[in-house]
Amino acid sequence: MSDSKPADQFFDAAIALLQRARDQEAENIEAAGTLLADTVAAGGRLFAFGAGHSSLAAQDVVYRAGGLALMNLLAVPGVVGVDVMPATLGSALERVDGLASAVLDSSPLRDGDALVVISLSGRNALPVEMAMKARALGAVVIGVTSVAYASETSSRHVSGTYLKDHCDIVLDSKIAIGDAELTLDTIPAPFAPASTVVTTALLQAVMATAAASLADRGIEPPLLRSGNVDGGHDWNGKVFEKYGDRIFYRQ
């Protein structure tokens, strides 16, 4: 690390990562946004899933002011964030074979829907099986992962495959193995993860693309407004009424 402050170093690293994502993933972002718009236009529903800290990026696009109202969180009990106690249980559940199938079998996901699966490593059984099962049900899958893990780690799914192998479109966050951007001679381990920053930016870029794609077709995108601005609740109420059959976080 240079003589600059660690905070400055992290911002520099995050900005560089965001610029790389913008430049190198532009085509995939456009394709993913168009795919979501296709799904909405065809009457399909939208879902997002992530386990552990990957769930943060999934939650960021659900019931969000300025976001698509049709994006629903596909929650797996025990792996949504780090609220389960002990927190290490969530990591263990990601490696359980059959869990994703059980969740999808009791979820509203169906043929014609779209599912965004977020997993930094893409190696655990849960996200791999989630993508496989969703496609088997007839849904399209957008994966958000760091493809580098597939060449430097072993898969934890019985098939030996990774999330990237079971997606219609892959957004590569290009986060380095270990997800830590900084090092310091006086600290024995690398630190300062940036995957949430990059993954969230990728997904918000996809959402923006989807909204614009719908508008280009003459379809008003079902966007939510902040409940903290005048008229926001009334606006959202009308969106909920119109698209209630495709919104599951209000039930």
Side-chain angles (χ1 to χ4, degrees):
M1 185 182 292
S2 71
D3 293 334
S4 61
K5 295 180 179 180
D8 292 335
Q9 287 286 322
F10 178 77
F11 277 116
D12 289 342
I15 290 168
L17 288 167
L18 289 170
Q19 188 65 60
R20 182 171 65 181
R22 176 182 179 177
D23 294 343
Q24 298 182 13
E25 291 301 301
E27 184 175 336
N28 291 328
I29 290 169
E30 184 71 24
T34 301
L35 186 59
L36 292 186
D38 291 343
T39 302
V40 173
R45 295 88 60 81
L46 310 180
F47 297 87
F49 165 77
H53 288 95
S54 290
S55 180
L56 297 176
Q59 293 178 58
D60 191 60
V61 294
V62 176
Y63 186 46
R64 186 65 190 264
L68 291 174
L70 304 192
M71 183 60 73
N72 300 278
L73 185 67
L74 188 61
V76 177
V79 304
V80 182
V82 292
D83 57 334
V84 63
M85 296 299 290
T88 50
L89 175 60
S91 298
L93 290 174
E94 287 187 63
R95 300 191 289 272
V96 174
D97 292 324
L99 180 56
S101 293
V103 169
L104 287 177
D105 284 342
S106 60
S107 81
L109 187 95
R110 67 187 185 191
D111 182 26
D113 292 345
L115 172 63
V116 178
V117 179
I118 307 157
S119 173
L120 178 61
S121 71
R123 68 187 296 222
N124 287 312
L126 185 56
V128 173
E129 184 182 335
M130 188 72 72
M132 294 175 68
K133 177 72 173 181
R135 292 180 90 186
L137 292 172
V140 294
V141 175
I142 297 169
V144 188
T145 186
S146 174
V147 172
Y149 275 82
S151 61
E152 300 184 41
T153 67
S154 58
S155 170
R156 288 174 173 155
H157 188 259
V158 292
S159 67
T161 60
Y162 299 79
L163 171 60
K164 72 176 184 63
D165 300 317
H166 305 284
C167 301
D168 296 278
I169 298 171
V170 174
L171 297 173
D172 184 3
S173 64
K174 298 179 174 65
I175 296 294
I177 305 296
D179 191 17
E181 294 301 318
L182 304 184
T183 58
L184 198 61
D185 291 342
T186 55
I187 299 177
F191 58 102
S195 60
T196 303
V197 174
V198 177
T199 301
T200 299
L202 282 169
L203 282 177
Q204 290 296 351
V206 169
M207 298 302 127
T209 301
S213 179
L214 286 168
D216 287 343
R217 309 174 198 202
I219 301 172
E220 180 179 333
L223 297 170
L224 294 173
R225 294 197 177 196
S226 172
N228 296 311
V229 300
D230 291 342
H233 285 299
D234 290 338
W235 172 280
N236 292 342
K238 293 177 182 177
V239 173
F240 292 150
E241 182 178 358
K242 182 176 181 179
Y243 292 99
D245 61 330
R246 292 195 258 175
I247 296 173
F248 299 96
Y249 51 80
R250 297 183 70 241
Q251 298 178 2

